[in-house]
Structures are given as structure tokens and as C-alpha cells.
Amino acid sequence: MDITLHSTFLPHNDPAESLAFYRDALGFEVRKEVEYGGRHWITVGPKGQPETSIVLHPPGATPGLTDEERHTIAEMMAKGTYAMIILATQDLDGVFEKLQARGAEVIQEPTDQPYGVRDCAFRDPAGNHIRINQAA
């Protein structure tokens, strides 16, 4: 069986702020931007890895959501408990310093975890939990 990770979805509240974080701070390339019905989807991904993408989407656009569910999602995003992604880099400390200098909200400075990973954590402008591991 040959299965790869193609894309994952993270919600955004403001496409311009999300672009500033993923494109300008993390250095991801923008692969697609789609406006539909007054809403904005942005596909980004790491340079040199066209097979892996993150789709930044308006959270209320998911078909079938009730108003109560949209409200719950908005509350969870505000608390930073709705979505999470783990990235990896060869230069954890360098990425941490760059994101911190750009004003990203730090959750955790680079730390050697007891389970064998060195990582740090931020929140993106929408409140998504972004963990970054030191690549082996």
C-alpha cells in the first residue's frame, strides 16, 4: 500500500494575517488562493515539497454545520484548542527565533521533552496550535 499525506486543513479568521504567518514567517509558498461566496481558502506548503499542503479555510464554511457548532468552533479557536499541526525543521532554534521576532504567540520555548523530542510551540493568528519538532 502506498499512501502519502497530501493536505490537512486549518481554520483561519483573517486570510491576510494567516498569509503573513505561513508565507512570510514560516516561509511556505502559496499554491492556491480561492475566493468563493465572500470566503477565502489558501493552500500553502513548504518549498520543495509540493506533495504536502495545508489548506487554510474559513471555519464556518464546512457544509452541514449548525449555528451552535459554528459557535463552538469559534470559541475553541479563540482558546487555541480547536486545531493543531506538528511541523519539523533541521533548525528548531533558528525557526523559533524568527517566529518570536515576528511577534508570533509563543506557547513553549524550545524544550527537550521527556519522550525524546526537542520542540517548541506557537499559536498562529487564528489560534491554531503549531508545534515544531527538531528533525533528526
Side-chain angles (χ1 to χ4, degrees):
M1 188 178 311
D2 182 20
I3 298 176
T4 60
L5 178 60
H6 183 267
S7 50
T8 189
F9 285 67
L10 292 175
H12 73 73
N13 292 324
D14 182 317
E17 287 184 352
S18 291
L19 267 177
F21 182 82
Y22 287 95
R23 181 193 58 206
D24 304 336
L26 285 176
F28 284 7
E29 62 186 14
V30 177
R31 299 188 177 142
K32 189 181 288 186
E33 290 193 66
V34 176
E35 288 276 347
Y36 180 75
R39 295 178 173 159
H40 200 129
W41 283 257
I42 307 164
T43 303
V44 296
K47 293 177 181 172
Q49 300 177 44
E51 68 281 354
T52 304
S53 297
I54 299 171
V55 180
L56 305 167
H57 68 95
T62 303
L65 288 178
T66 65
D67 288 343
E68 183 178 346
E69 291 167 330
R70 285 186 179 89
H71 180 74
T72 298
I73 290 169
E75 284 182 338
M76 292 180 73
M77 287 174 64
K79 293 178 183 175
T81 58
Y82 182 67
M84 175 182 183
I85 191 167
I86 299 176
L87 307 172
T89 180
Q90 297 288 328
D91 181 16
L92 179 66
D93 294 312
V95 170
F96 178 83
E97 289 175 18
K98 182 178 178 183
L99 290 175
Q100 188 177 39
R102 289 184 167 265
E105 181 184 347
V106 176
I107 298 173
Q108 176 204 299
E109 295 187 7
T111 303
D112 292 318
Q113 301 292 352
Y115 42 87
V117 173
R118 179 171 171 75
D119 68 356
C120 66
F122 292 89
R123 290 200 201 290
D124 77 2
N128 298 308
H129 185 146
I130 312 297
R131 295 201 75 81
I132 304 173
N133 289 357
Q134 174 69 50

Short mmCIF file of all heavy atoms in Angstrom, two decimals, residues 43 53 123 131:
data_model
loop_
_atom_site.label_atom_id
_atom_site.label_comp_id
_atom_site.label_asym_id
_atom_site.label_seq_id
_atom_site.Cartn_x
_atom_site.Cartn_y
_atom_site.Cartn_z
N THR A 43 -4.10 27.69 -0.01
CA THR A 43 -3.29 26.48 0.11
C THR A 43 -1.83 26.88 0.14
O THR A 43 -1.35 27.57 -0.75
CB THR A 43 -3.56 25.52 -1.07
OG1 THR A 43 -4.96 25.22 -1.11
CG2 THR A 43 -2.77 24.24 -0.92
N SER A 53 0.51 19.82 1.63
CA SER A 53 -0.07 21.16 1.72
C SER A 53 -0.92 21.34 2.97
O SER A 53 -1.44 20.36 3.52
CB SER A 53 -0.96 21.44 0.51
OG SER A 53 -0.23 21.42 -0.68
N ARG A 123 1.10 29.73 18.57
CA ARG A 123 -0.26 29.80 18.03
C ARG A 123 -0.18 30.64 16.77
O ARG A 123 0.51 31.66 16.73
CB ARG A 123 -1.22 30.48 19.00
CG ARG A 123 -1.49 29.65 20.21
CD ARG A 123 -2.77 30.08 20.91
NE ARG A 123 -2.76 29.64 22.27
CZ ARG A 123 -2.88 28.38 22.66
NH1 ARG A 123 -3.03 27.43 21.77
NH2 ARG A 123 -2.84 28.05 23.94
N ARG A 131 3.08 23.10 16.67
CA ARG A 131 4.28 22.57 17.32
C ARG A 131 5.33 22.36 16.24
O ARG A 131 5.02 21.96 15.10
CB ARG A 131 4.00 21.24 18.02
CG ARG A 131 3.02 21.38 19.18
CD ARG A 131 3.12 20.25 20.16
NE ARG A 131 4.30 20.37 20.98
CZ ARG A 131 4.39 21.17 22.06
NH1 ARG A 131 3.38 21.90 22.43
NH2 ARG A 131 5.52 21.23 22.75
#
